[in-house]
Amino acid sequence: MPFQSQQPSLFDEIFEVTKTEDAARQFLLQNGVLQTTYRCSCSGTMTLHPCAATKSQDLYIFKCSESGCKKTKSIRSGSYLQGSNLPFATIVRLLYCHSSKDMTNTAAAEFCGVSNKTVGEWKSYLLEAAAIWLLNNPQPIGGPGEVV
């Protein structure tokens, strides 16, 4: 019998963290895609609190901790996900598909449960976000004896 790795594949891990919205939200929080705190306009610190689905589809919002301040913000505020209404599980799957070099838009759309148009829009958005990051964080290439 050939050796089989006991390590789960990346696909298995992504499938596991996208089984529920809560697992996907935790994954995005743990990996810094979503923030755990946010600065309120009153200079107070906003922290995450559970909320009713009628208040936010994400079931969590930022609430200001300053006495007398009742401001709230979406959990997506200040992140690359601000303005998106896609479920967190779908976003994690789209990120996985974008990083898979052999994944077609059609296969990604089927895996994520979205249209080909949505996959294309997210690929463009992720490429733009990566380009902006690279422009803001230039890295030298080459070096002594390296021709670039």
Side-chain angles (χ1 to χ4, degrees):
M1 178 180 200
F3 172 78
Q4 290 184 331
S5 171
Q6 296 301 313
Q7 296 288 330
S9 70
L10 178 58
F11 177 83
D12 293 333
E13 289 181 48
I14 294 301
F15 192 77
E16 192 63 32
V17 301
T18 58
K19 277 186 176 178
T20 67
E21 276 300 284
D22 188 51
R25 180 179 47 256
Q26 287 303 318
F27 177 82
L28 293 169
L29 284 164
Q30 290 168 352
N31 287 283
V33 177
L34 294 172
Q35 299 178 41
T36 55
T37 61
Y38 193 80
R39 179 66 57 199
C40 183
S41 59
C42 76
S43 298
T45 300
M46 298 180 111
T47 55
L48 286 175
H49 294 272
C51 68
T54 54
K55 182 113 174 133
S56 170
Q57 71 178 22
D58 299 325
L59 303 179
Y60 279 83
I61 58 172
F62 287 114
K63 284 186 179 180
C64 185
S65 58
E66 283 295 308
S67 177
C69 184
K70 300 205 183 290
K71 292 182 181 145
T72 61
K73 287 269 188 192
S74 164
I75 187 176
R76 298 171 189 239
S77 294
S79 76
Y80 283 108
L81 307 184
Q82 185 170 322
S84 170
N85 291 318
L86 288 176
F88 291 135
T90 303
I91 291 169
V92 172
R93 286 182 176 203
L94 282 165
L95 291 167
Y96 167 76
C97 292
H98 178 71
S99 68
S100 301
K101 65 179 178 180
D102 297 327
M103 178 91 54
T104 65
N105 281 14
T106 302
E110 187 175 323
F111 177 61
C112 298
V114 297
S115 68
N116 280 348
K117 180 181 176 193
T118 298
V119 171
E121 288 170 350
W122 269 85
K123 280 189 173 186
S124 294
Y125 174 70
L126 292 169
L127 287 170
E128 182 181 340
I132 290 168
W133 187 90
L134 289 170
L135 288 171
N136 292 332
N137 300 279
Q139 302 291 318
I141 58 174
E146 294 289 324
V147 178
V148 180

